[in-house]
């Protein structure tokens, strides 16, 4: 059993609850069809870091509110900003659990190292999130497929225009009740293969959850939308042949080979984000008796394997949308459909298995769930 989850951690935060808590009816109204990332809970955690004052200072759990920044704050000029995303789920007995938060804490620190920002102790990261969830526990939805999305972030706050790593940072945790990420629900998406832009180059920041990666992706995403596609698929920067990831999600290809299901996902070359859902699917695939391979896959292989019938499904995976089937692939050369543009059984099986573990409806044999309360 790979236990990457430890019991709830208590951290030393100054607790300043809101003086104007929402009533149950008002909260229920705001939580109705929340979509993704539009509604926020009543509190947030804020911790400052100061190199001159010895590192992480005592933080606060306080009402959710706008923040103030000096116009010279380094994040506004040179962009040191990283974030994480994971979810809290209500369990059948009413308790609340998060999915693999330590894995997000480790990835946060690896993003911090790449952006020359300070790391945060894993216990402090997880403890702050637990404290926020405890405070705002009424905001964790109960329905399967709904959850409380947790967004930790860190950015450079030192007021200085010299180009160097900031000496001051703020770390915040905010939370947002979440339903479906894509407005159309779990329908297959059509994706656009981006041949004009790349997301990440060797030696760049592709493996970090760095705000600039997302800023740089938006124009390609607009091009994809103009082509009638929901998402962009990125190819590698050097050969422009290998499939890397889709928008903000990793990709899996499902092969049927000699009666065996083989799950293939692009290997972590340093230019793609090491998704925690991706890692979980690799582990679940082995539980299901499927083979799981991490290797390079060219766009040509994708197209020909679908044409020959060897590849029966493709799907994307990530925290926000869990699993999203890829129904059709569009590029300058044309469009091809996968699994008749319908959700396939393998994508559906992984989606259900993940959701069941997350909502406490199936045993957590990998020790992924972290008890908050
Ligand atoms: N790839 C990118 C670029 C992402 O932003 C995300 C989302 O966080 C993922 C992949 C999937 O990662 P995870 O499964 O940890 O959510
Ligand atoms: C994901 O969780 O899959 C994401 O990509 C998050 C996104 C909103 C940045």
């Amino acid at each position: 059993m790979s236990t990457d989850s430890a019991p709830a951690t208590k951290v030393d935060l100054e607790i300043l609850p809101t003086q104007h808590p929402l009533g149950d009816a008002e909260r229920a109204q705001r939580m109705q069809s929340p979509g993704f990332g539009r509604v926020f809970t009543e509190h947030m955690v804020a911790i400052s870091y100061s190199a001159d004052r010895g590192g992480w200072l005592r933080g606060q759990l306080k009402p959710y509110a706008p923040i103030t920044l000096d116009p010279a704050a380094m994040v506004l000029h040179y962009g040191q900003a990283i974030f994480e995303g994971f979810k809290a789920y209500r369990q059948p007995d009413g308790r609340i659990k998060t999915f693999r938060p330590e894995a997000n804490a480790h990835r946060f620190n690896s993003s911090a190292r790449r952006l020359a920002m300070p790391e945060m102790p894993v216990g402090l990261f997880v403890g702050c999130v637990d404290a926020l969830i405890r405070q705002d526990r009424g905001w964790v939805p109960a329905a399967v497929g709904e959850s409380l999305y947790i967004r930790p972030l860190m950015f450079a706050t030192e007021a200085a225009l010299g180009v160097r790593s900031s000496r001051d940072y703020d770390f915040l945790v905010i939370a947002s009740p979440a339903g479906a990420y894509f407005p159309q629900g779990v329908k297959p998406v059509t994706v656009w293969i981006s041949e004009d832009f790349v997301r990440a180059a060797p030696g760049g920041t592709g493996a970090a959850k760095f705000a600039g990666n997302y800023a740089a992706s938006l124009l390609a995403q607009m091009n994809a939308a103009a082509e009638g596609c929901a998402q962009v698929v990125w190819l590698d920067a050097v050969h422009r042949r290998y499939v890397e990831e889709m928008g903000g999600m990793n990709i899996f290809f499902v092969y049927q080979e000699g009666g065996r299901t083989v799950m293939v996902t692009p290997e972590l070359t340093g230019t793609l984000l090491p998704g925690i859902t991706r890692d979980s699917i690799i582990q679940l695939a082995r539980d299901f008796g499927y083979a799981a391979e991490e290797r390079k896959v060219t766009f040509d292989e994708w197209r020909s394997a679908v044409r020959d019938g060897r590849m029966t499904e493709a799907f994307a995976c990530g925290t926000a949308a869990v699993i999203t089937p890829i129904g059709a692939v569009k590029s300058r050369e044309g469009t091809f459909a996968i699994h008749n543009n319908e959700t396939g059984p393998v994508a559906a099986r992984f989606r259900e298995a993940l959701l069941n573990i997350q909502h406490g409806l199936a045993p957590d044999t990998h020790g992924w769930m972290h008890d908050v309360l």
Side-chain angles (χ1 to χ4, degrees), residues 83-85 104 107 149 199 206 209 214 245-250 272-278 317-320:
F83 66 96
E84 266 305 328
N104 292 86
R107 188 171 67 188
Y149 181 77
R199 173 182 175 277
K209 215 159 159 62
Y214 299 81
E245 49 190 325
M246 175 188 106
M249 303 176 82
N250 295 112
L272 44 130
L273 195 82
I276 290 152
T277 318
R278 173 190 182 279
C317 67
T319 295

Side-chain angles (χ1 to χ4, degrees), residues 275-359:
I276 290 152
T277 318
R278 173 190 182 279
D279 181 75
S280 307
I281 287 173
I282 292 172
Q283 296 191 47
L284 286 177
R286 294 181 177 140
D287 295 350
F288 294 169
Y290 299 166
E293 294 176 5
E294 296 175 73
R295 64 169 172 84
K296 292 189 166 140
V297 178
T298 61
F299 178 51
D300 283 344
E301 173 183 341
W302 188 355
R303 191 168 30 200
S304 60
V306 169
R307 194 189 309 126
D308 311 339
R310 285 178 297 126
M311 189 193 293
T312 53
E313 294 176 46
F315 62 82
C317 67
T319 295
V322 193
I323 282 177
T324 301
I326 300 177
V329 183
K330 186 173 180 190
S331 69
R332 290 227 174 82
E333 288 102 73
T335 303
F336 60 91
I338 311 173
H339 205 275
N340 283 327
N341 210 342
E342 285 163 13
T343 301
V346 175
R349 183 175 183 189
F350 279 106
R351 186 178 167 83
E352 192 182 324
L354 273 171
L355 286 173
N356 283 344
I357 294 170
Q358 291 165 338
H359 286 279

Side-chain angles (χ1 to χ4, degrees), residues 192 194-199 212-227 229 231-232 234:
W192 171 249
S194 177
E195 288 168 280
D196 294 333
F197 302 106
V198 293
R199 173 182 175 277
N213 291 342
Y214 299 81
S217 76
L218 301 176
L219 181 57
Q221 179 62 37
M222 284 166 68
N223 288 354
E227 294 290 342
C229 297
Q231 286 288 318
V232 55
W234 301 105

Side-chain angles (χ1 to χ4, degrees), residues 41-42 82 92 105 109 132 142 174 189 201 208 214 222 242 259 268 270 284 286 294 313 322 356 371:
T41 67
E42 287 162 274
I82 61 171
N109 282 339
L132 178 62
I174 58 174
V189 292
Y214 299 81
M222 284 166 68
Y242 300 107
L268 300 176
L284 286 177
R286 294 181 177 140
E294 296 175 73
E313 294 176 46
V322 193
N356 283 344
D371 215 334

